């Protein structure tokens, strides 16, 4: 009968999903991180729940309609399990460098983001932070294992995705700090009242461009939506700047350059070159005590806004932005994007002031300072050129401490951009030095691995 065939089909799918889940459970995960384990426990609980539904559907004492409903519910859970397994794809050591998970998790801990995390890599040129709420509590009659798995997790789950393979270059991992900024954004009570005058100017320019004397509420709603999306992106950049210093400037600039094809303006993001300029302006603040001054002192190179991103596409004129974006968006949004580009920089001091105040109050030790940058280059830059990775800091054996992730990123970027030809490693290299870059990547991964090993040894 049809019901029996449906039950057989669902059971076959559940058994295959259970085998796939066991295979994933038997894998190693970077840093023995518990995020994937807890997620797989949820999956096992879902499978148990589906099996219980299916078993109940075979009860001869219930109506055919009830039996079909139970079988259909089991099939729906099977589909959800498949989605859940896809959610954690790329989390194993085959895709994600095992060295990076513990230092990334430490950022979350230092910043008091007390949620479950799951790190994974994907073959896409993208960094992403995604928050998953507890949708599993809506499931009727959950199995005992599902209830236990739900209660073991600190909700919501935060999934951090980084590029895998060719784009998974360690120095670029500073961009994860930008994604962490998104997780912290809502913790600040933002006061944008000082932007009011420029906001009114913005509305007037949009009105003029649209030949609309009185903007309607729908357009004003769009303005606010785009403003706050752009504002959050710049705030995430600010968090990354305070957490990683020059590394986020080099990382984001280099990454935007690799993306190619566009200047970056959309309804959710300001332009690439604007973001780059804001970060560069922060690097040169402080004159002789700035990050840029430290960089120049130890490398002999003058830092410029396009130092590692001369291929980045520049934002065209406001009229050209409007014309270009009108091909993709409706006219009102195109006008907002074009004019917002001229106004959003007025929020920079608001953003950086609030982010610095928040971090000094809640996670002062996580701030990467010019003093630390100077120490890192003093202690590690020459050693790095001799292929000695930056594992620990300190003047004497008793005072030595494991090198922090931000320090490794900055030593790596400084070596890569200003000293790569001097890196003394054996290569059959081409004129561009790409083989040396691969060697540097390996040395930096080793630095992360050994500094984490030293940290564990000290805490044992």
């Amino acid at each position: 009968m049809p019901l029996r065939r449906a039950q057989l089909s669902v059971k076959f799918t559940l058994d295959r999903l259970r085998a796939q889940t066991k295979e994933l459970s038997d894998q190693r995960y970077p840093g023995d991180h518990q995020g994937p384990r807890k997620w797989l426990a949820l999956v096992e609980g879902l499978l148990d729940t589906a099996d219980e539904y299916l078993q109940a559907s075979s009860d001869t004492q219930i109506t055919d309609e009830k039996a079909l409903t139970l079988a259909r519910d089991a099939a729906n859970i099977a589909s959800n399990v498949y989605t859940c397994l896809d959610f954690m794809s790329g989390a194993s050591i085959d895709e994600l460098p095992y060295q990076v998970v513990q230092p990334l998790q430490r950022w979350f801990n230092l910043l008091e983001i007390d949620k479950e995390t799951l790190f994974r890599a994907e073959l896409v040129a993208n960094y992403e932070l995604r928050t998953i709420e507890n949708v599993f509590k809506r499931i009727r009659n959950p199995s005992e294992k599902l209830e236990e798995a739900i209660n073991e997790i600190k909700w919501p789950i935060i999934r951090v995705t980084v590029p895998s393979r060719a784009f998974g270059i360690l120095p670029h991992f500073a961009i994860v700090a930008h994604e962490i900024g998104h997780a912290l954004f809502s913790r600040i009570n933002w006061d944008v009242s000082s932007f009011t005058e420029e906001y009114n100017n913005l509305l007037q320019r949009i009105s003029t461009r649209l030949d609309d004397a009185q903007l309607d509420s729908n357009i004003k709603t769009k303005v606010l939506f785009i403003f706050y999306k752009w504002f959050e992106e710049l705030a995430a950049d600010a968090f990354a700047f305070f957490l990683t210093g020059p590394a986020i400037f080099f990382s984001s600039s280099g990454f935007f350059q690799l993306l190619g094809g566009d200047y970056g303006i959309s309804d959710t993001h300001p332009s690439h070159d604007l973001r780059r300029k804001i970060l560069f302006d922060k690097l040169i603040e402080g004159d002789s005590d700035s990050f840029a001054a430290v960089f120049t002192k130890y490398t002999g190179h003058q830092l410029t806004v396009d130092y590692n991103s001369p291929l980045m596409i520049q934002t065209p004129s406001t009229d050209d932005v409007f014309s270009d974006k009108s091909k993709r968006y409706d006219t009102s949004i195109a006008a907002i994007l074009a004019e917002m580009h001229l106004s959003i920089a007025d929020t920079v001091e608001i953003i950086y002031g609030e982010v610095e105040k928040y971090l000094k109050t809640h996670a002062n030790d996580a701030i990467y300072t010019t003093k630390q940058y100077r120490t890192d280059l003093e202690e590690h830059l020459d050693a790095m050129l001799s292929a000695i990775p930056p594992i620990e800091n300190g003047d004497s054996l008793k005072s030595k401490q494991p090198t922090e992730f931000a320090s490794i990123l900055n030593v790596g970027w400084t070596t890569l951009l200003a000293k790569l030809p001097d890196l003394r490693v054996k290569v059959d290299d081409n004129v561009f030095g790409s083989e040396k870059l691969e060697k540097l990547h390996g040395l930096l991964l080793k630095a992360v691995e050994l500094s984490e090993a030293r940290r564990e040894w000290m805490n044992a």
Side-chain angles (χ1 to χ4, degrees), residues 38-43 45 144-153 155:
K38 291 185 177 183
W39 187 255
L40 288 170
L42 276 174
V43 170
E144 184 178 342
K145 180 173 277 189
L146 179 57
E147 287 187 316
E148 289 175 356
I150 290 172
N151 293 332
E152 279 294 310
I153 290 175
W155 296 93

Side-chain angles (χ1 to χ4, degrees), residues 74-111:
N76 288 336
I77 289 181
S79 177
N80 289 334
V81 166
Y82 198 75
T83 301
C84 288
L85 294 179
D86 178 64
F87 176 80
M88 64 169 288
S89 64
S92 73
I93 58 175
D94 295 332
E95 297 291 338
L96 184 66
Y98 69 90
Q99 298 96 332
V100 303
V101 167
Q102 288 182 335
L104 293 180
Q105 181 61 51
R106 192 160 54 256
W107 264 341
F108 280 84
N109 296 342
L110 278 170
L111 296 163

Side-chain angles (χ1 to χ4, degrees), residues 96-100 168-171 173 384 389-390 405 408 438-452:
L96 184 66
Y98 69 90
Q99 298 96 332
V100 303
I169 306 168
L170 184 72
F173 277 49
M384 189 80 244
F405 191 48
I408 295 172
E438 192 63 44
K439 294 284 187 181
L440 175 63
H441 174 63
L443 287 168
L444 295 173
L445 284 174
K446 184 58 67 175
V448 177
E449 178 185 356
L450 294 179
S451 63
E452 290 303 311

Side-chain angles (χ1 to χ4, degrees), residues 27 32 90 123 125 131 138 145 148 172 199 223 277 282 290 328 331 352 362 378-379 381 400-401 430:
Q27 290 183 9
D32 292 326
L123 199 58
T131 300
R138 302 173 190 163
K145 180 173 277 189
E148 289 175 356
H172 281 292
Y199 181 73
V223 173
K277 183 181 184 303
K282 291 299 172 182
S290 66
R328 177 180 174 187
T331 303
Y352 278 76
H362 297 279
E378 178 72 35
E379 291 191 16
L381 188 56
K400 286 190 179 295
Q401 296 291 321
N430 54 46

